[in-house]
Structure formats: C-alpha cells, structure tokens
Amino acid sequence: MWFRNDLRLRDNKALYAAAARAKLGSKKSVIGLFVISEKEWASHDEAPIKIDFWIRNLVVLKRSLEKLHIPLIVKKAATGSQVVELIESTVKGMDVSHVFWNVEYMVDEMRRDAAVLKALTKNPGIYVEQHDDQGVVPPKEMKNKIGEGHTSFESFRSTWNTLVETDPHYLQLLPVPEANPIEAKQLYAEYFNASVPPYHPHSLDMSEIEQLYPAGEDAAHERLRAFIENKIMRYHLTKDSLTEEDDTKLSPYLSNGVLSTRQCVAAARAANNNKIIVGNEGVRTWIKEIIWREFYRHVLVFYPRVCKNRAFKPPTDSIRWSSDDRKFQIWCQGKTGYPIIDAGMRQLNATGYMHSRIRMLVACFLVKDLLISWQKGEKYFMSHLIDGEFSFNNGSWQWCASTGAESQPYFRVFNPVVQSQKFDPVGDYIRHWVPELKGLSDKQVHDPYHAMSAKEFGKLTYPKPIVDHSEARKKFVEEYKRVLVQK
Ligand SMILES: Cc1cc2nc3c(=O)[nH]c(=O)nc-3n(C[C@H](O)[C@H](O)[C@H](O)COP(=O)(O)OP(=O)(O)OC[C@H]3O[C@@H](n4cnc5c(N)ncnc54)[C@H](O)[C@@H]3O)c2cc1C
C-alpha cells in the first residue's frame, strides 16, 4: 500500500482493499510504503509547516499500523523521477504481487502515477489497483446535462446533494483493515524497528504548533466529534467569526487525509436525522463548505489547465498584472497600512493558518487593489499554509480574482475597511496580530490613517495605506473590462 495524502487507517479505500487482497496471497501480509520526496514537494510549493504535519502524522500512522502488524517503510527519493525507480525496486525486492494506492488528481501526480503503473505492470505477476478515495463522490461520476464537467457551483451542489442523499453507498465508511498475521512482526522486523526521519525545517514555535494541531487520526476525530456535538448546529451563525474557538481547523487533517471527507459528511448527516438537503441550517451550511472542496477538485479533473498556472476563464490570462515586487513583499509581510489585511498576513506567517473570511479579503486585496497576479498569491499561500491543497487553493484564488469557474463578479471588490468593520467589529483580531495598533479605539483601529489626526498617526509605527482603495478598484475594473472587450 503506497500511502500519500491518505494517512489514516479508517475509511481508507486502497488500504482496506490491500488488506482484503493480502489474505489471498502467500504471505497474507500488507506492507505500507511512504516516499519522502522533498524535491517534488518543493516544486509544488508545499509549506514546511505542512510537511512537518505530514511527517508527524506519519509517525502516528506507523505506530497504529504496527498494532496491526503492518510495517510502514519510509524511503527518501532524491528527485521526482526517482520515486518511480524506488517504488519499482521496493516492490520487486520484497516480492510484492499487488500494489494499491488512492488516486491524486493533479496533473503532475497523475503523470507520476502513470509512470509508476507502467514500470510496475511491465513485470509479469505485478498488479496495480487504484482507488477513488478523495472526496465523497468521485469527480468523474458527476457530469452536467451535456456530459461535461460542472462549471456552476449551484448545479454541482444540487447534483451532489441528490446523489449523496439518495444513494447510501457514498457515505458507507470502511472500518480499520484486518491485521497481518503475527508472523509479519518477525518477517519485517527491520522496518518495525526503523523510525521516521525527523523534519523541522521551519522557524515557527513547534510547541505551539503541536498544541494547535496534534497529529493523528484520534486527534482529528476528537476535533470532529467536539465540533459536531457542540458547534455544528450554530455553524451558519459562527462561520464568519474570527475568534479562535469558532474555527473547526479541520482543514489540515482533511488535506493530509488523516480524516476523510466522507467521515465528516457522515458525522454531520447523523447529527441531522440522516438528512443532507433539509434540516438544521448549521449542518447544511457546513456540508456546503465541504461541497466546495468537492467542486474545486471536480473542476481540476475536468479542466486540468488550471494545474498549469492558467486561469479557468482563458481571456483573463491576458490581464496586465503589475510587476511591482516591492508591493508584493509589503503584502507578504503584512505592512500594507490596511489593518485587517496585515492582521491576516501576519497570522498566516506566524501560524500557517488564516481564517477563511480573511483569506478572501487578503486575496482580493492583492489581486484587485494591488493588481498583482493571483498566481503569485496562490504560490505564497501554498508555501505557508498548513492546510495548503492545490485544488482548493487554486479554486479559491481564482474565485477571488474573478478568473475561476464559479467566481466573484469582477466588479465586486471588497473594501478592506468596510469588511474589517463588518467582520472584526471591535477590532480584537486586528489588535492581536497588529500589536502596534493595540491602543487604538474600536473606530480608529480599522483605518488609523484616516481616523486619526496626522500628528497622532505619525506617532504610530504603522505604515499609511499602500494604495487608495477606490482608485485601485477603478483600475482593476477597467483592466478587466478591457480583457472582456478583447474576447
Ligand atoms: C484564497 C483562499 C485560499 C484557500 N486555500 C485553501 C487551501 O489551500 N486548503 C484548504 O483546505 N482550504 C483553503 N481555503 C478554504 C478555507 O479558507 C479553509 O478550508 C478554511 O479556512 C479551513 O478552516 P476550517 O477547517 O475551520 O473550515 P470550516 O469552516 O470548518 O469548513 C469545513 C471544511 O470545509 C472546507 N472549506 C471551507 N471553506 C472552503 C472553501 N472556500 N473552499 C474549499 N473548501 C472549503 C474545508 O475543508 C474546511 O475544513 C482557501 C480559501 C481562500 C479564500
């Protein structure tokens, strides 16, 4: 079983199938394999904090597998292409007959898997089985009325809801796989004795990060349970709240596959009298967020150009973006002079996480106020987020930039001050992340440059706004219209 971003025992389709198949083989055993491929990860801008979380989860997974007498072999590949050789040599060297994995849908991953498949199956007696495990409904099972991929979220959601509500197999959860025979302990002793190589190449405070995101399936399920029992019914009222306790922070567990989307939806459905389409508003709103995950993955599968740095709406590829790197760096550092934007970017830099509402604001600001390309923001997010996942990150950035499948209208440009007053009314979020504004009143804190006298503002160690919002908005809208006319 080749583990990738599916680091769990429960409800893991490929692992379950591997264990069932193993019972028919001569050694009756499953062997787990994980390949650390730092070059490949770097080329996908995977954040060090995310890799660190991956590795911490791998350690827990190894321990859990051990209880089932299943060894987990962890190998390092120097390059992406070495992954293929490494898997082939491991499979042949250990006399493995069947190789299982769960499909990853990004273009590079599909190419890599095709190469592994080819290398393995050219050997007589080696078979490969791939499973659609990511998500509730496999992306290719959903098509619109003319047999193509959906491009509208609402039509996707309605089809998804009907399928999942009416066909119980989508939410049937698989149990922990059967254990290997006890003899496997001896047979694979060297792998049980080996440990996962440590990985801490980032400067963030690990004790805090480990507390915020404890590793392992049990921790993920505890977080899900607490949310379902205590908060889901009010999710529609709290989802935009910026207070720490209101975020579920399940996304890192979902992105690493420590938790499956099916497990989340099944738990939410159970709390809602086994309904998805009707019932409690909090539950339905939360499931809707999960459906966004499914939608963006679906878009990527049907329209793989989005994997190649291209906009979903091709004409918007010719928007003339600014190449002002100084402004980009100022945005990255959270020094734009717009407190809500700066708070968000500083939260991201310090913790690898940012609240969803704030992600929208900072993304919209980069693209529409600074006219800097969404690709630059997408890359920066990916290289800093603990929950970074290509399809949701790309889909969400394109939503904010009005270049995506289902996106914000181009003329809708968030006013960062108005949004700040709306979502952080008393300014606590800003004061936490922008301590130089701690002493300001609730009114001043959203827009100190305009809400204070020049003399008072001058005493702050805080920059004045990097752009004038209404002028910047006009510029973006004009540029977008130019592109529309050209089309
Ligand atoms: C510019 C931008 C970039 C983003 N990049 C990522 C990313 O790389 N990885 C990622 O997991 N999410 C991304 N999101 C979506 C969202 O911000 C996070 O999923 C959410 O903040 C996670 O917090 P939570 O687990 O408390 O979410 P909850 O409020 O509990 O929502 C439940 C789950 O639904 C999913 N979800 C929620 N909102 C969205 C959304 N807009 N799109 C897709 N799925 C959603 C997440 O898996 C989340 O865990 C991005 C959003 C924006 C605007």
Side-chain angles (χ1 to χ4, degrees), residues 235 248-251 286 289 293 353 356 387 389 393 396:
Y235 179 76
T248 68
K249 293 207 175 69
L250 282 168
S251 51
W286 195 64
E289 297 298 345
R293 286 182 82 85
Y353 181 83
S356 191
D387 64 11
E389 188 160 337
N393 195 38
S396 303

Side-chain angles (χ1 to χ4, degrees), residues 169-231:
H169 99 271
Y170 286 114
L171 291 179
Q172 249 160 26
L173 304 182
L174 294 168
V176 170
E178 269 193 61
N180 278 348
I182 185 85
E183 298 78 55
K185 288 287 270 185
Q186 231 181 341
L187 195 59
Y188 304 114
E190 72 172 290
Y191 302 111
F192 286 114
N193 294 334
S195 48
V196 175
Y199 180 90
H200 295 300
H202 58 80
S203 53
L204 302 180
D205 176 357
M206 275 317 293
S207 57
E208 203 170 309
I209 302 288
E210 283 179 19
Q211 219 180 330
L212 268 174
Y213 304 105
E217 266 182 280
D218 289 347
H221 280 277
E222 175 49 29
R223 193 165 284 211
L224 176 63
R225 185 202 58 74
F227 170 67
I228 300 281
E229 274 179 19
N230 307 320
K231 295 183 182 163

Side-chain angles (χ1 to χ4, degrees), residues 265-365:
V265 178
R269 181 175 174 269
N272 191 36
N273 290 324
N274 291 324
K275 295 280 174 225
I276 282 178
I277 301 175
V278 294
N280 177 269
E281 198 178 340
V283 175
R284 285 186 289 119
T285 310
W286 195 64
I287 292 178
K288 184 176 171 188
E289 297 298 345
I290 302 264
I291 302 175
W292 274 105
R293 286 182 82 85
E294 305 262 300
F295 175 65
Y296 286 141
R297 190 180 293 120
H298 173 87
V299 168
L300 177 145
V301 168
F302 278 91
Y303 307 96
R305 63 174 176 270
V306 299
C307 285
K308 295 172 190 150
N309 237 352
R310 300 208 12 232
F312 176 84
K313 289 182 185 147
T316 62
D317 273 331
S318 51
I319 291 178
R320 290 175 303 202
W321 300 109
S322 157
S323 57
D324 190 334
D325 194 53
R326 189 188 64 91
K327 283 194 177 147
F328 178 63
Q329 293 307 331
I330 287 174
W331 175 84
C332 295
Q333 290 160 18
K335 292 185 177 166
T336 65
Y338 283 98
I340 196 76
I341 305 299
D342 297 341
M345 293 309 292
R346 293 185 199 187
Q347 182 186 18
L348 174 66
N349 293 335
T351 67
Y353 181 83
M354 194 194 296
H355 186 281
S356 191
R357 172 60 52 185
I358 307 297
R359 291 187 203 199
M360 283 181 208
L361 299 185
V362 303
C364 183
F365 186 82

